[in-house]
Amino acid sequence: QVQLVESGGGLVQAGGSLRLSCAASGTTFSDYTVGWFRQAPGKDRDFVASISYSGASTKYADSLKGRFTISRDIMKNKVYLQMNSLKPEDAAVYYCAADTSWPTYRFAYWGRGTQVTVSS
């Protein structure tokens, strides 16, 4: 079973950038597709982006295309979410998730999340 740990969250000013990392242990990470989701207080958890086993294919929420980029480093067992031009409405807890299916929006394994705060 894969264990996921997110990192890289924090406080950033509007217009700034952050790169989130999702580290996997307990398995070969390239056997899994990986997704990023986010949840703001009082709101549903929303899909942000996902990436296929090798990283050759990606999917994004339409509203985030062009600002967010998902990537993976197979050798390091990590997946990244580069977030640029951040807006206050991007503030949320960001979760990394993994699954054995592609494409999918339903993921079996989840990390605990990392907080992103964007000041205006």
Side-chain angles (χ1 to χ4, degrees), residues 66-108:
R67 292 197 301 122
F68 288 18
T69 304
I70 190 171
S71 61
R72 71 189 306 166
D73 186 325
I74 300 296
M75 297 300 293
K76 293 184 177 180
N77 254 15
K78 287 188 175 182
V79 170
Y80 304 100
L81 183 69
Q82 178 68 42
M83 306 186 295
N84 298 327
S85 302
L86 283 162
K87 305 174 182 180
E89 53 263 41
D90 293 318
V93 177
Y94 283 72
Y95 297 91
C96 171
D99 199 83
T100 55
S101 300
W102 175 266
T104 183
Y105 294 100
R106 301 181 69 178
F107 290 79

Side-chain angles (χ1 to χ4, degrees), residues 4-6 20-23 29 32-38 45-53 57-61 70-72 78-81 93-111 113:
L4 305 171
V5 178
E6 303 93 336
L20 306 183
S21 297
C22 175
F29 206 16
Y32 295 82
T33 63
V34 178
W36 284 98
F37 291 75
R38 67 185 186 183
R45 186 177 298 184
D46 291 330
F47 171 77
V48 173
S50 61
I51 191 165
S52 62
Y53 310 96
S57 297
T58 57
K59 293 187 179 293
Y60 293 92
I70 190 171
S71 61
R72 71 189 306 166
K78 287 188 175 182
V79 170
Y80 304 100
L81 183 69
V93 177
Y94 283 72
Y95 297 91
C96 171
D99 199 83
T100 55
S101 300
W102 175 266
T104 183
Y105 294 100
R106 301 181 69 178
F107 290 79
Y109 306 99
W110 292 81

